[in-house]
Amino acid sequence: MSRDCPGNFSERPDAGPALALMKRYDPDHPHALQVERLAGLLFDLLVGLHGMGESERWFLGMAALLHDIGWSEPSRPHHKASMDLILADITLPLTPADRQIVAQIARYHRKADPNPSHPGFAGLTDDQKRQVRWSAGILRLADALDRSHRSVVQELSVRTSDRVIQISCTTTDDHIPEPEIQVLGKKSALLSEVTGCRIEILWSRTNTP
């Protein structure tokens, strides 16, 4: 199964507040937009496994756009700062429960896995916890696929068999992007856990005229 670029959250009419928040706090807008695009692609390609729908994709897209806004607070771990900025913002069109989900997805884009001992995550329902774990796993991989912040990954395709998920990445580079390779093992671990599958990344070069 393969997809190039479906409609992204950032292109929706109701994405304005999230885009404004990203532009206010995130020093690297192209990276946030690339991660949001890749997260949406992965969500669509893995829908047969996670079974989530449009609203969950919407939350993931927003979290992807906002995952790095915590860099605006250099004295704190940026994933936790991103969570707190999302929770404190009053412009995002979210209910308190939905805001907590988006904040938790952004918080878990790096470092510790979702854990019942963490207050924000502990307060979610079982279905919401599953959503956060899946979405954070997807977001971590999308973030890793733009580790170099150069938007080298253009297209993705997925093949699943024998408890292995092969993700093929078409890139703009002649060589496998080294920054991405260095973090993929660690950053794909949560997605591997929630799927029960080993994650394999394959690389190919974009065919350009």
Side-chain angles (χ1 to χ4, degrees), residues 52-72:
M52 294 188 290
E54 185 60 29
S55 62
E56 290 88 354
R57 194 182 193 278
W58 192 88
F59 291 144
L60 172 59
M62 183 182 292
L65 277 184
L66 302 177
H67 77 283
D68 272 351
I69 61 175
W71 282 118
S72 61

Side-chain angles (χ1 to χ4, degrees), residues 58-99:
W58 192 88
F59 291 144
L60 172 59
M62 183 182 292
L65 277 184
L66 302 177
H67 77 283
D68 272 351
I69 61 175
W71 282 118
S72 61
E73 298 185 11
S75 63
R76 302 183 58 206
H78 82 272
H79 56 299
K80 294 182 180 180
S82 294
M83 175 185 68
D84 289 342
L85 285 168
I86 292 168
L87 290 174
D89 183 79
I90 61 172
T91 66
L92 298 172
L94 297 169
T95 66
D98 292 344
R99 182 184 305 277

Side-chain angles (χ1 to χ4, degrees), residues 2-193:
S2 115
R3 294 284 297 271
D4 45 18
C5 187
N8 299 319
F9 166 79
S10 57
E11 298 167 346
R12 293 171 51 122
D14 52 1
L19 285 166
L21 196 61
M22 177 200 73
K23 291 174 181 177
R24 179 179 180 184
Y25 290 117
D26 190 338
D28 192 344
H29 306 162
H31 171 68
L33 290 167
Q34 172 72 346
V35 171
E36 182 242 335
R37 185 181 76 87
L38 294 176
L41 287 171
L42 288 167
F43 182 98
D44 293 341
L45 291 165
L46 297 171
V47 70
L49 295 177
H50 59 65
M52 294 188 290
E54 185 60 29
S55 62
E56 290 88 354
R57 194 182 193 278
W58 192 88
F59 291 144
L60 172 59
M62 183 182 292
L65 277 184
L66 302 177
H67 77 283
D68 272 351
I69 61 175
W71 282 118
S72 61
E73 298 185 11
S75 63
R76 302 183 58 206
H78 82 272
H79 56 299
K80 294 182 180 180
S82 294
M83 175 185 68
D84 289 342
L85 285 168
I86 292 168
L87 290 174
D89 183 79
I90 61 172
T91 66
L92 298 172
L94 297 169
T95 66
D98 292 344
R99 182 184 305 277
Q100 187 67 244
I101 292 172
V102 173
Q104 293 302 314
I105 296 170
R107 182 254 188 272
Y108 289 116
H109 84 271
R110 67 188 292 269
K111 292 294 185 180
D113 290 349
N115 190 308
S117 68
H118 299 162
F121 185 73
L124 302 178
T125 67
D126 288 346
D127 285 345
Q128 290 169 338
K129 288 175 181 175
R130 181 182 184 274
Q131 178 185 349
V132 167
R133 287 178 61 81
W134 260 101
S135 298
I138 290 171
L139 180 53
R140 287 186 184 199
L141 182 55
D143 191 32
L145 291 174
D146 195 45
R147 178 70 171 184
S148 62
H149 289 225
R150 295 190 299 113
S151 298
V152 297
V153 176
Q154 298 300 299
E155 299 176 6
L156 298 173
S157 63
V158 167
R159 176 178 296 177
T160 304
S161 62
D162 299 326
R163 302 185 71 81
V164 175
I165 298 175
Q166 288 186 334
I167 301 174
S168 297
C169 305
T170 306
T171 78
T172 57
D173 281 5
D174 289 321
H175 305 288
I176 295 174
E178 188 62 27
E180 282 74 3
I181 290 295
Q182 291 176 354
V183 299
L184 278 170
K186 182 178 180 180
K187 295 278 278 185
S188 65
L190 179 57
L191 186 60
S192 180
E193 181 180 328

